[in-house]
């Protein structure tokens, strides 16, 4: 589902300046042009995660970047593992 910037701000609980800062840090990468950004449900979950890291756990900006990078790697590995399982299943049924 594609969300406008205003919808994203409302649903994520993030302020306009904070959003711009997170985009500059590349913690969030919206779709579309800079004039008409679009966001997804995943972007909302990621924004809430960032907010929790900073507000609830007191994680500093440098560590947030590291954590997000590690989470992205983990998700990438999970996708790769899922694809590998499918290949093994397909080949074992032949």
């Amino acid at each position: 589902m594609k969300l406008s910037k205003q919808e994203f701000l409302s649903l994520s609980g993030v302020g306009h300046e904070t959003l711009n800062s997170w985009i500059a840090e590349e913690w969030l990468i919206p779709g579309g042009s800079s004039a008409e950004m679009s966001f997804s449900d995943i972007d909302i979950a990621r924004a809430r995660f960032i907010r929790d890291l900073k507000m609830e756990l007191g994680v500093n900006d440098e560590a947030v970047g590291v954590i997000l990078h590690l989470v992205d790697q983990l998700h990438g590995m999970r996708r790769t593992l899922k694809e590998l399982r499918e290949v093994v299943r397909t080949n074992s049924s032949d």
Side-chain angles (χ1 to χ4, degrees):
M1 175 165 88
K2 297 287 183 186
L3 302 167
S4 70
K5 184 177 183 178
Q6 198 57 41
E7 291 170 319
F8 174 84
L9 292 171
S10 176
L11 292 170
S12 68
V14 173
H16 183 75
E17 289 181 28
T18 300
L19 174 60
N20 289 337
S21 172
W22 292 359
I23 291 171
E25 291 287 336
E26 296 183 347
W27 294 349
L28 291 172
I29 303 173
S33 67
S34 60
E36 294 198 24
M37 294 179 203
S38 64
F39 297 88
S40 68
D41 291 335
I42 292 172
D43 293 322
I44 291 173
R46 189 173 175 98
R48 289 176 179 164
F49 179 59
I50 295 167
R51 189 188 63 212
D52 288 349
L53 287 173
K54 293 180 67 60
M55 303 290 191
E56 301 295 323
L57 299 174
V59 175
N60 66 29
D61 287 354
E62 193 172 311
V64 168
V66 171
I67 291 167
L68 291 174
H69 178 71
L70 293 171
V71 168
D72 291 343
Q73 284 184 330
L74 179 62
H75 284 290
M77 284 188 248
R78 289 175 68 191
R79 262 190 308 276
T80 301
L81 183 58
K82 181 180 177 182
E83 291 168 5
L84 183 59
R85 272 193 232 136
E86 291 300 319
V87 168
V88 169
R89 249 187 233 138
T90 302
N91 289 337
S92 67
S93 66
D94 290 342

